[in-house]
């Protein structure tokens, strides 16, 4: 075989053995938050969801106060999968609920969070991503609880290309906060205040720095609070396009075909 064909063959072979699978890129589509303070106690409130693209992955978070016996019920009317349901601190102060789903429409929607005990304050937030693996979207989730001036979301193991979500629910002990809701790209905050009842729900999402532990992350309002904090790692979906290995294999076969034709023609000429 001529030298130049040997060189091309070796180059293609090296490309094949160094090839890696292709992954899609996760991207934040939209974020939303809302807070509710009402002098009339309630056991249900709206959690708004933002617009995005069809087949986005969405996480909603609901938070409210508790004296130790309150608990969340399933949200609705849409169907969500529960990711975390738990209380803050020593079991009182606040409760937090986190659910997820794949959205079938690009439009926004309104669902209701539901709980068992009547309260006067409520906060919620939602985030939508594109590019999340549909078969197994969550690679890891872990939660911490405590009572201190800052809430610490735990470390989890992320994959290459993962997005990390950190969600905090806090019940401060002093009536000094101003209620309201705010959200920007990748981050939301909902604060509800009524006659000594205070609630803060905060969430943010960022790309993982790489495969491996995400590290812990603190959120502080510089107030002693009962709190619950969770970290969630999202898996990117595989691309439905030829990977480098597949392209390389095609080139490899084509080059060998050309080499074979060339060799046969040389042999026929010599004969």
């Amino acid at each position: 075989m001529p030298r130049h064909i040997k060189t091309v063959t070796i180059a293609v072979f090296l490309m094949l053995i160094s090839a890696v699978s292709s992954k899609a890129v996760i991207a934040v589509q939209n974020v939303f938050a809302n807070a509710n303070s009402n002098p009339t106690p309630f056991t249900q409130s709206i959690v708004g969801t933002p617009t995005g693209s069809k087949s986005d992955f969405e996480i909603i978070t609901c938070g409210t106060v508790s004296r130790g016996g309150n608990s969340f019920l399933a949200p609705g009317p849409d169907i969500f999968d529960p990711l975390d349901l738990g209380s803050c601190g020593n079991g009182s102060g606040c409760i937090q609920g986190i659910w997820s789903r794949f959205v079938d429409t690009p439009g926004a929607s309104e669902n209701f969070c539901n709980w068992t005990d009547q309260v006067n304050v409520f906060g919620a937030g939602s985030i939508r991503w594109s590019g999340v693996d549909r078969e197994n979207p969550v690679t890891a989730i872990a939660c911490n609880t405590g009572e201190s001036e800052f809430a610490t979301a735990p470390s989890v193991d992320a994959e290459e290309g993962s997005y990390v979500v950190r969600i905090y629910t806090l019940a401060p002990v002093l009536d000094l906060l101003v209620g309201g809701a705010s959200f920007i790209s990748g981050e939301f905050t909902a604060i509800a205040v009524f006659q000594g009842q205070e609630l803060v729900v905060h969430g943010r999402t960022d790309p993982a720095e790489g495969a491996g532990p995400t590290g812990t992350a603190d959120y502080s309002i510089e107030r002693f609070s009962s709190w619950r904090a969770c970290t969630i790692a999202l898996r990117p979906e595989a691309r439905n396009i030829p990977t480098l290995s597949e392209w390389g294999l095609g080139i490899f076969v084509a080059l060998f075909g050309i080499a074979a034709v060339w060799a046969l023609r040389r042999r026929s000429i010599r004969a």
Side-chain angles (χ1 to χ4, degrees):
M1 184 180 291
R3 181 175 299 175
H4 69 277
I5 293 182
K6 289 182 179 180
T7 302
V8 172
T9 302
I10 293 172
V12 172
F13 177 75
L14 292 175
M15 181 175 64
L16 286 171
I17 64 175
S18 63
V20 295
S21 296
S22 179
K23 292 283 188 178
V25 177
I26 296 178
V28 178
Q29 289 292 306
N30 221 328
V31 181
F32 190 74
N34 56 282
N36 186 2
S37 301
N38 199 313
T40 302
F42 53 95
T43 59
Q44 183 185 73
S45 191
I46 290 176
V47 50
T49 61
T51 59
S53 303
K54 188 176 181 180
S55 299
D56 285 346
F57 184 70
E58 179 180 80
I59 285 179
I60 64 170
T61 302
C62 298
T64 190
V65 294
S66 173
R67 294 177 180 173
N70 202 4
S71 60
F72 277 112
L73 306 173
D78 296 339
I79 304 299
F80 294 84
D81 296 319
L83 290 179
D84 175 73
L85 300 172
S87 59
C88 305
N90 60 5
S92 64
C94 59
I95 56 173
Q96 174 180 273
I98 305 174
W99 297 266
S100 68
R101 66 170 177 172
F102 279 96
V103 188
D104 294 327
T105 174
S109 64
E110 287 187 348
N111 282 276
F112 288 90
C113 277
N114 309 285
W115 54 93
T116 57
D117 296 350
Q118 292 189 338
V119 301
N120 299 96
V121 293
F122 167 81
S126 56
I127 308 176
R128 288 175 70 151
W129 300 262
S130 60
V132 176
D133 185 81
R134 198 170 184 92
E135 297 299 322
N136 193 7
V138 175
T139 64
I141 178 171
C143 299
N144 282 340
T145 63
E147 294 179 309
S148 58
E149 291 187 353
F150 56 88
T152 301
S155 177
V156 300
D157 288 332
E159 297 181 358
E160 191 70 34
S162 290
Y163 245 74
V164 182
V165 194
R166 295 182 174 95
I167 297 171
Y168 309 83
T169 300
L170 307 92
V173 298
L174 298 175
D175 188 9
L176 297 175
L177 298 177
V178 177
S182 62
F183 47 93
I184 57 176
S185 178
E187 187 171 358
F188 68 82
T189 303
I191 301 175
V193 180
F194 179 79
Q195 293 183 353
Q197 297 183 60
E198 292 188 8
L199 182 80
V200 179
V201 180
H202 176 78
R204 65 172 299 156
T205 180
D206 305 280
E209 294 183 358
T214 62
T216 61
D218 293 339
Y219 176 73
S220 175
I221 55 172
E222 299 180 352
R223 304 272 302 284
F224 187 85
S225 305
S226 175
W227 55 265
R228 185 175 187 86
C230 295
T231 304
I232 305 165
L234 304 181
R235 175 180 285 112
E237 65 181 350
R239 291 183 184 273
N240 293 321
I241 60 173
T243 64
L244 184 58
S245 295
E246 292 166 340
W247 284 116
L249 182 60
I251 295 171
F252 188 69
V253 172
L255 287 175
F256 263 100
I258 294 172
V261 171
W262 182 86
L264 290 173
R265 291 187 63 185
R266 287 290 301 270
R267 183 175 297 177
S268 63
I269 291 174
R270 290 176 181 177

